[in-house]
């Protein structure tokens, strides 16, 4: 059974940092690209980043320079290091398995076939 479980969310002050983890099971992580998305209340799910099986990384402009995606295939885990957090980063963050090994159309929800349950990130003073 394919499963993705996010963790590491919480309450953080503006300018602070948080590292999210995505633990994969039921499939070989090394063979897939993994993406991170977020969804704020009343908003569409937004693609943020993707890491390919070869560790190529991609970011959307709103998080570029602040967020870093990485993976540890041995641990079956993908990470999202988030720095310089802003109030507009407040959302539920999801990791998802890309349908392929590379980050083609990485910002599109339809490109992914399995999703985690999400972890809440709240940026507030």
């Amino acid at each position: 059974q394919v499963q993705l479980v996010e963790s590491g969310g919480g309450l953080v002050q503006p300018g602070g940092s948080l590292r999210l983890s995505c633990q994969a099971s039921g499939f070989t992580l090394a063979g897939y690209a993994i993406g991170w998305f977020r969804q704020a209340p009343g908003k569409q799910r937004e693609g943020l980043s993707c890491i390919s099986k070869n560790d190529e990384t991609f970011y959307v402009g709103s998080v570029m320079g602040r967020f870093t995606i990485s993976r540890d295939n041995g641990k079956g885990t993908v990470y999202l290091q988030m720095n310089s957090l802003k109030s507009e980063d407040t959302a539920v963050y999801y990791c998802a398995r890309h349908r392929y090994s590379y980050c083609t159309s990485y910002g599109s929800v339809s490109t992914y076939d399995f999703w985690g349950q999400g972890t809440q990130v709240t940026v507030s003073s």
Side-chain angles (χ1 to χ4, degrees):
Q1 181 177 312
V2 172
Q3 189 169 210
L4 297 167
V5 180
E6 303 94 337
S7 62
L11 176 63
V12 64
Q13 296 185 153
S17 297
L18 215 53
R19 188 179 78 158
L20 305 183
S21 296
C22 173
Q23 185 67 231
S25 61
F27 70 101
T28 302
L29 180 63
Y32 290 86
I34 301 293
W36 281 98
F37 286 71
R38 67 186 179 192
Q39 189 165 27
K43 299 288 188 178
Q44 292 190 165
R45 195 161 295 190
E46 175 189 19
L48 304 175
S49 183
C50 181
I51 183 165
S52 76
K53 67 176 292 183
N54 295 324
D55 284 358
E56 296 170 290
T57 59
F58 303 87
Y59 305 91
V60 295
S62 60
V63 307
M64 192 171 294
R66 298 190 298 127
F67 291 11
T68 303
I69 190 171
S70 62
R71 69 195 298 155
D72 185 332
N73 292 328
K75 289 183 168 62
T77 306
V78 175
Y79 305 95
L80 185 68
Q81 177 67 47
M82 307 186 296
N83 299 325
S84 301
L85 286 162
K86 308 171 181 179
S87 60
E88 52 260 47
D89 294 319
T90 296
V92 176
Y93 283 69
Y94 301 88
C95 62
R97 190 181 79 171
H98 198 282
R99 294 182 186 274
Y100 307 106
S101 301
Y102 304 99
C103 296
T104 303
S105 301
Y106 73 90
S108 176
V109 169
S110 64
T111 308
Y112 301 81
D113 56 8
F114 288 93
W115 296 79
Q117 85 291 345
T119 185
Q120 177 71 49
V121 171
T122 302
V123 185
S124 181
S125 298

